[in-house]
Amino acid sequence: MQIQAAKVIVTSPGRNFVTLKIETDQGVHGIGDATLNGRELSVVSYLEDHVNPALIGKDPRRIEDIWQYLYRGAYWRRGPVTMRAIAAVDVALWDIKAKMAGMPLYQLRGGRSRDKVMVYGHANGSDIGETVEAVGEYIDLGYKAIRAQTGVPGIKDAYGVGRGKLHYEPADAELPSVTGWDTRKALDYVPKLFEKLRNTYGYDHHLLHDGHHRYTPQEAANLGKMLEPFQLFWLEDCTAAENQEAFKLVRQHTVTPLAVGEIFTTIWDCKDLIQNQLIDYIRATIVGAGGLTHLRRIADLAALYQVRTGCHGATDLSPVTMGTALHFDTWVPNFGIQEYMRHTEATDEVFPHDYSFADGYLHCGETPGHGVDIDEDLAAKYPYKPAYLPVARLEDGSMWNW
Ligand SMILES: O=C(O)C(O)[C@@H](O)[C@H](O)[C@H](O)CO
Ligand SMILES: [Mg+2]
């Protein structure tokens, strides 16, 4: 069996997605997601110029060997562009293998560990009142877990406040727009949001919050401590994690559960965080961390330390990543939760899929493979359109973390 063709499809049904399609001489094809928000075309080039030519003629069943070939063979290791390209190949090959086996992908991992996958949705508003209302809407939709983000008075367009209700999408401008940040104001306002949420809805639902790398370790520790009475499911990206040791300080001061990892690309980014039990949830996902082949290694290491998974699932990852993540979530023994931001209808049409939402849970389908395909004719109707995430600056003009 041989790989006959590998092609990259770029489509923008509301936002940009990069998809790799691998075709075999047996008529079976597989697809993988290679989307890197705001840097999409760099992965297109990486695949078209450097990876795809090397795939032709290879045996698609040798997934592990092809993964090692692309990782070790490049000499230049890790990084978002390289690892997303590897992830796309890896996922397309797992799709092919599962289709050939006539099984849904989770069966090839070891079968079901659970009946359904708990997800969290994104509730946001420009102030506490609006966010509390938005959380209520998610509760009415059946969600068991809800992430709550609020605009903060005096801060211009704070992180997490979207334009649409169910379709939060911050990558909007042809060049990054400028938003603001003020830690003092946020530290004062965010705990009040969670106090109001618990007073309004009680403690039956899981509540989550994303700090988006905005706080120093000391400030993050302070926030975690103030949020303790409100029993969060997790506080995400409370501080930047390039220096994994930074989490020690946070951990020493608060029992609020910590999650991190949506921008991690390999196990090396979270090895110390996991082994020192500095986090509770690892947010790496399929497209970000080298595909199913690598993500399961991260999950296995995490399991040794009772760290659970919480895959990134924002709408800058295509339905291909969501579908594959759901097969991973259905299998992985140390599952925690899955992020679920809904794609727009146009995106769902370009990527027909068999996963479905009901009563706060997502269910992966039973069709062979990962259950997601691409309608190439429809995809061609939505050409690439540059779109960037905003940047953040402090009041005095200093660059901050978006
Ligand atoms: O889903 C999350 O938790 C995020 O932090 C995203 O909103 C993130 O900002 C985007 O995925 C970046 O592309
Ligand atoms: Mg996040």
Side-chain angles (χ1 to χ4, degrees), residues 67-346:
W67 196 97
Q68 299 292 339
Y69 177 88
L70 294 174
Y71 185 80
R72 293 169 193 257
Y75 183 62
W76 312 107
R77 296 181 183 206
R78 307 161 66 180
V81 178
T82 297
M83 297 311 290
R84 268 168 153 83
I86 294 178
V89 175
D90 186 72
V91 167
L93 295 181
W94 277 109
D95 193 24
I96 289 170
K97 195 181 275 293
K99 281 177 178 165
M100 284 168 53
M103 291 180 190
L105 186 51
Y106 72 82
Q107 291 290 9
L108 267 63
R109 293 262 32 83
R112 267 185 194 280
S113 296
R114 57 195 50 79
D115 302 329
K116 49 193 180 178
V117 171
M118 183 169 73
V119 299
Y120 69 90
H122 282 225
N124 55 62
S126 58
D127 59 18
I128 289 178
E130 262 184 47
T131 307
V132 171
E133 215 174 282
V135 168
E137 284 165 22
Y138 275 87
I139 291 174
D140 292 345
L141 287 168
Y143 282 79
K144 312 293 179 236
I146 302 134
R147 178 185 109 153
Q149 303 293 140
T150 176
V152 177
I155 302 182
K156 182 182 175 272
D157 303 327
Y159 164 78
V161 185
R163 293 185 305 278
K165 284 234 147 127
L166 292 169
H167 307 292
Y168 167 64
E169 173 41 80
D172 55 352
E174 283 209 23
L175 282 173
S177 54
V178 181
T179 62
W181 182 247
D182 185 323
T183 302
R184 179 83 290 290
K185 291 190 171 103
L187 283 177
D188 181 44
Y189 202 67
V190 171
K192 289 180 185 144
L193 165 67
F194 285 90
E195 183 179 20
K196 183 78 184 161
L197 284 170
R198 287 309 190 196
N199 286 341
T200 309
Y201 302 116
Y203 281 76
D204 281 354
H205 296 86
H206 297 298
L207 295 179
L208 301 82
H209 184 70
D210 193 342
H212 230 243
H213 327 269
R214 295 282 169 94
Y215 304 92
T216 66
Q218 187 277 343
E219 291 159 354
N222 189 9
L223 179 62
K225 216 167 164 177
M226 288 191 285
L227 291 174
E228 279 173 13
F230 315 119
Q231 297 284 301
L232 265 58
F233 185 92
W234 78 34
L235 172 60
E236 172 187 341
D237 289 345
C238 63
T239 195
E242 285 100 324
N243 174 15
Q244 297 181 45
E245 273 194 29
F247 275 69
K248 265 190 201 157
L249 192 145
V250 185
R251 198 60 152 177
Q252 278 160 1
H253 290 285
T254 181
V255 293
T256 292
L258 303 175
V260 65
E262 67 185 40
I263 64 172
F264 291 173
T265 62
T266 71
I267 199 165
W268 304 104
D269 297 327
C270 50
K271 174 182 146 298
D272 298 343
L273 286 169
I274 291 171
Q275 289 181 332
N276 296 315
Q277 292 176 286
L278 300 179
I279 55 170
D280 301 279
Y281 297 93
I282 179 67
R283 302 248 313 124
T285 194
I286 304 283
V287 64
L292 197 55
T293 295
H294 192 68
L295 188 63
R296 74 164 193 249
R297 298 213 158 94
I298 296 178
D300 282 344
L301 175 69
L304 301 182
Y305 299 92
Q306 301 192 39
V307 173
R308 294 189 284 159
T309 64
C311 286
H312 186 206
T315 41
D316 55 327
L317 317 178
S318 94
V320 181
T321 285
M322 180 53 79
T324 312
L326 289 173
H327 285 271
F328 170 81
D329 297 335
T330 297
W331 156 73
V332 72
N334 49 324
F335 171 73
I337 201 165
Q338 168 69 51
E339 180 179 14
Y340 177 43
M341 230 191 251
R342 289 168 192 240
H343 288 108
T344 59
E345 257 172 50

Side-chain angles (χ1 to χ4, degrees), residues 12-61:
S12 189
R15 56 161 322 127
N16 294 313
F17 297 110
V18 178
T19 308
L20 175 69
K21 180 168 184 174
I22 294 182
E23 288 165 347
T24 67
D25 59 356
Q26 315 256 313
V28 187
H29 76 269
I31 62 170
D33 179 21
T35 308
L36 180 57
N37 196 356
R39 299 291 184 271
E40 295 88 357
L41 300 185
S42 56
V43 192
V44 174
S45 159
Y46 196 102
L47 284 165
E48 285 181 343
D49 297 331
H50 309 292
V51 171
N52 290 357
L55 294 177
I56 309 304
K58 284 205 161 46
D59 183 342
R61 295 168 299 189

